[in-house]
Amino acid sequence: ATVTVRLDVEGGGTLARDVTVRWSTGVGTATLGADHAAASGTLVFPAGTASGATQELAVATAATDGGETAETVPVQLVADGAAVGTTATVVIDAHDLPYLDPELPVAERVDDLLSRMSLEAKVGQMTQAERNTADEEDESQVKIDEDPSQIASLQLGSVLSGGGSAPEENTPEAWADMVDGYQLWTRLTPLQIPLVYGVDAVHGHGNVRGATVFPHNLGLGATRDPALVEEVSHVTAAETRATGIPWNFAPCLCVARDTRWGRTYESFSEDPTLVGLMGAAATRGLQGDGAGDLADRDRVMATVKHIGGDGDTEYGSGDDPTREGEYPIDQGVTVTSEEDFERIDLAPYGPSVQEEDAGAVMPSYSSIDRTDGPLADEGPIKAHADAALLTGYLKEGLGFDGFVISDYNGIDQIPGDRASDVRTWVNAGGDMAMEPGDFASFTTTLLEEVRAGRVAEERVDDAVRRILTKKVELGLFEQPFADRTNLGDVGSAEHRGVARRAAAASQVLLKNDGQVLPLAGDAPLYVAGRNADDLGNQIGGWSITWQGQSGEHTEGTTVLEGIREVAPDAEVTFSADASAPVDPESTGVVVVGETPYSEGFGDVGGPQWAYDPADNEVPREPKTMELREEDRAVVDEVCEQAARCVVLVVSGRPLVLGDALGDVDALVASALPGSEGGGVADVLFGAAPFTGQLSHSWPRTAEQGELNVGDEEYAPLFPFGWGLSTEATRTPQEQDVEEAVAAVDAVPADDPRMRELVGALRQAVQALVADPATGVPARAADRIARADVALLEGDHAEAVRLLADAVEE
Ligand code: BGC
């Protein structure tokens, strides 16, 4: 083994006098004689040597027959005239053991490995630490980043980066270096079980500066295009894996049933079928087509989250004890019958778990309060403690064979003391615990619980077997360190091209009076609104930092920049607050909406502060269901004065427009389109057609937080499934509906054009029912929304019947 010794001169420059380094091998776990020879020597860095110069020393290790676990030979250094920074350890890697043999079946490798593990090693594998988090209660607990040797001493199974937990220099390369740096410590343990590093790449590898950022799931749901979602997720996987990270805490299969929830934008839809479909596509894009693909350099393991009931909790039940219950709805209680729970909250997990073999599942922070069935009398049960959910439904029912990872400090919310939290979690079916700063106490507590017989060793073995199986499938034993082949592709033009297409496909055209859209490329434009030229606002939360932030925090193109690029001949006046005079001949393009937030803090009525990038608590604007007054004023100003106006709502939830609709010629639900504002410009100017459809019903009033397709009294401004197209430009007539119905009837049910034909029928129906000032009448809205659900469920006949019925009367 060769050890490199580097000279660092304080403040740079060259050495003033000679430095002599004496070295010798010491006593580690390797056997002197059999494994290595004792060695020593002297290195001299003569005066005048430049800082950064290196010399090498060699330690001879012996080839031994037969399998062995890893062994160490420490190398001691003593220097005259210099301080020794780090000590060196030579590791003779584990070799020739069955679990290291890639030719053997996965299960055989895992059994072999498990048979060699101590209880401490097993408990370590069940523990995940955050790289830069300190235990709030135990001051003696040091952060991983400050003392990464804990990775070896505790034999940790995993380390994560929470939202915004980036290396100091936030580049793709620094991420790979950081993860490899942690991984290095696993080499010191006898079995050398690699870490599986995890991150939230929930809309691209968003923590990394310069990575491609895709629309959040709210917008992806609107594309109705699973193939596109698969492609987007594949790019996300490639960028994530390139930085040495094989595990993503995505996709969210949350079904946001109340848009007051601050995580609404993480939800593909309010409709469970659409969530299931898109979730499976995302899982496939991340993981590839089967366990065999997990080891590829452009794939990662997916985590479907957060089972069960997040997005469906009751407003007012939110209860994050660490923030004194400041969250009105996040982490709250889902009150439900068994049947509704399965139909709405759990159904989306089937396709990802059973068909796509999702590697991990994360339970929700929220609780489930069943109103019937055997658990009806139990009151609210935290998902993290819910054995019927995690073991019964997921593992035994769906046959889930990956592992269950807790949410960040999630087990703390289980009622009871620490020991009870730990054992309840593991006994309910939890396999690996995300214990950001409390990781050491988790290992000691779990050890005690097992030794006391309160957690069965078989349960521990089952958990560890699940974790190790995924590590083997991910190819980590063969390639623990980052494969940097694709590092240069992070944020590449090709990847941004995919994000741009996705941004275009996610735009939903709600209203287009007088066919204002698409815009002519050479028209005078008056662009206004605070979200027109703000990259951070159009990207949203989970970007660079946990909560996200306004402004240019990463690389990308704002909507305004996109407009300038797509329509270079247009004469563009930009005035965010519309204070510049408006040319009455111009077309107004007003981009308004929300500023970034993420979980809890994004709840309507939630905390009016958030963390800034330096972790300070800073005030943030209140979250509401309505377009803010300032935004409304800009809309009014521009729409009153310009010849015509287009309004884009860039937001993480649909926003109530008040009576603004009548003054607006064209209205676009932009969701959170991500880093490629060019995609938004593409649809505005007709470089791509509008094809998006609402994935969440658009409310008429602020009281309609809980507004979902199929509601008994469904009166949205625009229904689920609504979306105009700019492909058909003539004014529709009643007979168009008849013609469209006839066209559907003329083909067999399994005709490949069916979706398109039903879509044409929907277009004809939409054009007839919408009122320019008041939106869509309730009856028509109900039929259109339910028709889209029928279509998603493959019942074309029902979709056609409902659409035709929408125009009756
Ligand atoms: C969120 C999860 C996320 C985890 C790790 C939690 O606060 O609820 O969705 O995966 O943090 O960052």
Side-chain angles (χ1 to χ4, degrees):
T2 307
V3 178
T4 304
V5 181
R6 192 185 69 215
L7 171 85
D8 281 315
V9 180
E10 234 177 66
T14 55
L15 259 190
R17 53 187 135 66
D18 290 4
V19 166
T20 305
V21 181
R22 278 170 289 116
W23 65 271
S24 59
T25 52
V27 179
T29 54
T31 313
L32 186 63
D35 295 316
H36 73 105
S40 60
T42 306
L43 305 172
V44 180
F45 290 91
T49 306
S51 183
T54 58
Q55 294 195 38
E56 287 177 349
L57 60 88
V59 175
T61 58
T64 48
D65 284 339
E68 267 187 324
T69 53
E71 293 166 321
T72 57
V73 184
V75 179
Q76 278 133 12
L77 303 173
V78 183
D80 285 340
V84 175
T86 45
T87 53
T89 304
V90 169
V91 177
I92 302 167
D93 284 340
H95 59 91
D96 296 314
L97 296 170
Y99 76 90
L100 295 168
D101 183 356
E103 304 298 319
L104 290 181
V106 174
E108 221 170 287
R109 295 178 68 181
V110 169
D111 280 344
D112 175 63
L113 180 51
L114 200 62
S115 73
R116 297 171 191 279
M117 291 170 75
S118 63
L119 185 58
E120 286 80 357
K122 291 175 185 174
V123 162
Q125 285 302 306
M126 293 171 70
T127 312
Q128 182 186 55
E130 206 286 330
R131 59 167 284 278
N132 195 33
T133 302
D135 186 342
E136 277 158 26
E137 258 134 57
D138 177 5
E139 280 175 19
S140 64
Q141 172 71 63
V142 182
K143 296 175 180 182
I144 287 292
D145 199 54
E146 280 167 19
D147 179 12
S149 75
Q150 297 173 98
I151 292 167
S153 58
L154 296 170
Q155 309 185 63
L156 293 180
S158 179
V159 175
L160 89 143
S161 272
S165 187
E168 209 166 290
E169 188 202 351
N170 191 349
T171 62
E173 194 170 13
W175 275 83
D177 290 345
M178 173 182 82
V179 177
D180 281 357
Y182 299 141
Q183 191 68 278
L184 191 59
W185 288 96
T186 64
R187 307 296 85 196
L188 284 172
T189 64
L191 294 166
Q192 299 190 308
I193 304 173
L195 290 170
V196 55
Y197 201 91
V199 77
D200 294 276
V202 299
H203 61 150
H205 198 3
N207 283 301
V208 181
R209 221 189 118 86
T212 308
V213 188
F214 297 93
H216 269 296
N217 292 346
L218 169 74
L220 291 181
T223 69
R224 297 292 196 278
D225 186 348
L228 179 60
V229 171
E230 182 177 342
E231 194 182 352
V232 159
S233 304
H234 189 184
V235 173
T236 299
E239 294 203 358
T240 306
R241 192 77 185 243
T243 62
I245 301 180
W247 183 15
N248 188 0
F249 308 128
C252 194
L253 299 189
C254 39
V255 187
R257 304 289 288 178
D258 187 331
T259 55
R260 287 172 292 186
W261 191 38
R263 304 188 83 153
T264 295
Y265 65 79
E266 292 188 58
S267 164
F268 287 112
S269 179
E270 70 194 27
D271 174 60
T273 306
L274 184 52
V275 174
L277 199 69
M278 293 307 201
T283 302
R284 190 159 59 244
L286 292 173
Q287 299 196 149
D289 263 341
D293 285 357
L294 276 181
D296 292 354
R297 66 168 69 99
D298 59 350
R299 303 289 184 180
V300 295
M301 181 171 74
T303 310
V304 285
K305 70 184 189 183
H306 314 80
I307 203 170
D310 68 334
D312 200 8
T313 56
E314 300 213 326
Y315 194 84
S317 71
D319 167 34
D320 173 2
T322 60
R323 274 180 250 284
E324 284 149 8
E326 270 189 285
Y327 296 170
I329 183 164
D330 196 44
Q331 313 192 0
V333 182
T334 296
V335 182
T336 180
S337 66
E338 292 269 17
E339 193 202 324
D340 281 351
F341 188 43
E342 169 128 22
R343 181 176 59 86
I344 296 170
D345 304 297
L346 300 180
Y349 286 84
S352 282
V353 168
Q354 296 187 306
E355 284 149 40
E356 303 303 334
D357 207 16
V361 173
M362 189 187 290
S364 172
Y365 283 123
S366 52
S367 310
I368 306 114
D369 189 356
R370 292 154 174 99
T371 54
D372 58 9
L375 297 171
D377 296 331
E378 298 293 317
I381 303 174
K382 279 281 174 191
H384 282 76
D386 196 333
L389 175 68
L390 302 180
T391 301
Y393 182 83
L394 181 65
K395 290 181 172 175
E396 291 167 6
L398 294 184
F400 173 62
D401 60 5
F403 65 90
V404 178
I405 170 80
S406 63
D407 204 345
Y408 201 95
N409 280 328
I411 70 167
D412 284 3
Q413 297 193 20
I414 299 172
D417 62 13
R418 180 74 171 156
S420 139
D421 290 352
V422 170
R423 79 172 160 265
T424 306
W425 155 248
V426 177
N427 288 339
D431 300 310
M432 184 188 278
M434 190 184 285
E435 289 285 283
D438 297 359
F439 49 92
S441 106
F442 179 81
T443 59
T444 39
T445 311
L446 181 53
L447 270 177
E448 281 162 19
E449 290 305 298
V450 178
R451 288 191 180 125
R454 289 186 289 266
V455 172
E457 279 203 62
E458 296 75 50
R459 177 71 268 279
V460 169
D461 282 352
D462 171 54
V464 177
R465 184 175 278 114
R466 289 166 177 272
I467 294 162
L468 295 176
T469 300
K470 291 300 158 190
K471 289 188 173 185
V472 171
E473 287 176 359
L474 281 162
L476 296 173
F477 286 86
E478 286 70 56
Q479 169 97 35
F481 296 107
D483 175 340
R484 300 184 185 218
T485 316
N486 294 332
L487 205 56
D489 294 341
V490 175
S492 70
E494 198 190 327
H495 289 176
R496 287 180 190 277
V498 178
R500 181 172 181 155
R501 267 194 287 125
S506 72
Q507 301 301 292
V508 183
L509 184 55
L510 298 175
K511 173 180 178 181
N512 193 19
D513 270 12
Q515 314 292 351
V516 171
L517 292 176
L519 300 168
D522 54 1
L525 293 181
Y526 187 96
V527 180
R530 63 176 177 159
N531 286 355
D533 194 29
D534 193 307
L535 195 61
N537 287 2
Q538 77 189 38
I539 284 179
W542 292 106
S543 313
I544 307 301
T545 54
W546 177 42
Q547 293 288 322
Q549 79 232 48
S550 299
E552 187 104 7
H553 56 52
T554 188
E555 288 158 34
T557 306
T558 65
V559 174
L560 175 68
E561 288 163 351
I563 289 174
R564 291 204 156 113
E565 185 198 312
V566 175
D569 297 331
E571 196 187 298
V572 177
T573 304
F574 172 59
S575 177
D577 61 358
S579 56
V582 182
D583 171 1
E585 298 291 299
S586 64
T587 301
V589 176
V590 190
V591 191
V592 289
E594 293 183 313
T595 49
Y597 52 75
S598 66
E599 44 180 324
F601 292 86
D603 286 1
V604 166
Q608 295 185 20
W609 59 276
Y611 299 102
D612 71 3
D615 251 3
N616 302 309
E617 293 179 12
V618 292
R620 295 234 185 159
E621 66 186 32
K623 305 299 172 287
T624 67
M625 286 281 291
E626 287 145 310
L627 197 61
R628 283 165 63 81
E629 260 173 48
E630 296 90 317
D631 278 356
R632 177 65 203 269
V634 177
V635 169
D636 288 349
E637 182 70 19
V638 178
C639 293
E640 264 163 35
Q641 299 189 50
R644 57 199 77 76
C645 81
V646 180
V647 172
L648 291 88
V649 183
V650 171
S651 59
R653 56 165 61 89
L655 291 179
V656 173
L657 302 169
D659 58 0
L661 186 65
D663 305 329
V664 172
D665 298 293
L667 180 67
V668 180
S670 285
L672 296 167
S675 61
E676 305 314 306
V680 178
D682 285 340
V683 288
L684 290 180
F685 292 94
F690 274 97
T691 52
Q693 291 176 255
L694 287 180
S695 55
H696 294 263
S697 305
W698 198 282
R700 196 176 274 281
T701 71
E703 284 66 52
Q704 289 177 313
E706 277 180 276
L707 171 71
N708 296 298
V709 49
D711 284 355
E712 233 161 83
E713 279 171 40
Y714 185 65
L717 189 64
F718 295 100
F720 173 81
W722 184 266
L724 305 175
S725 160
T726 40
E727 284 174 314
T729 48
R730 70 208 166 82
T731 315
Q733 312 285 320
E734 193 93 28
Q735 80 227 29
D736 291 338
V737 172
E738 284 158 32
E739 275 171 28
V741 172
V744 177
D745 285 347
V747 300
D750 57 356
D751 191 281
R753 284 164 303 165
M754 186 54 95
R755 261 204 84 84
E756 202 184 305
L757 291 171
V758 178
L761 168 60
R762 181 174 51 83
Q763 289 299 329
V765 169
Q766 286 176 157
L768 286 167
V769 299
D771 181 283
T774 59
V776 184
R779 185 175 175 282
D782 171 74
R783 304 301 189 273
I784 290 169
R786 287 200 286 132
D788 200 51
V789 173
L791 192 60
L792 287 164
E793 289 170 351
D795 191 347
H796 305 114
E798 176 70 354
V800 170
R801 192 191 65 73
L802 284 162
L803 284 170
D805 188 42
V807 285
E808 242 162 55
E809 283 163 32

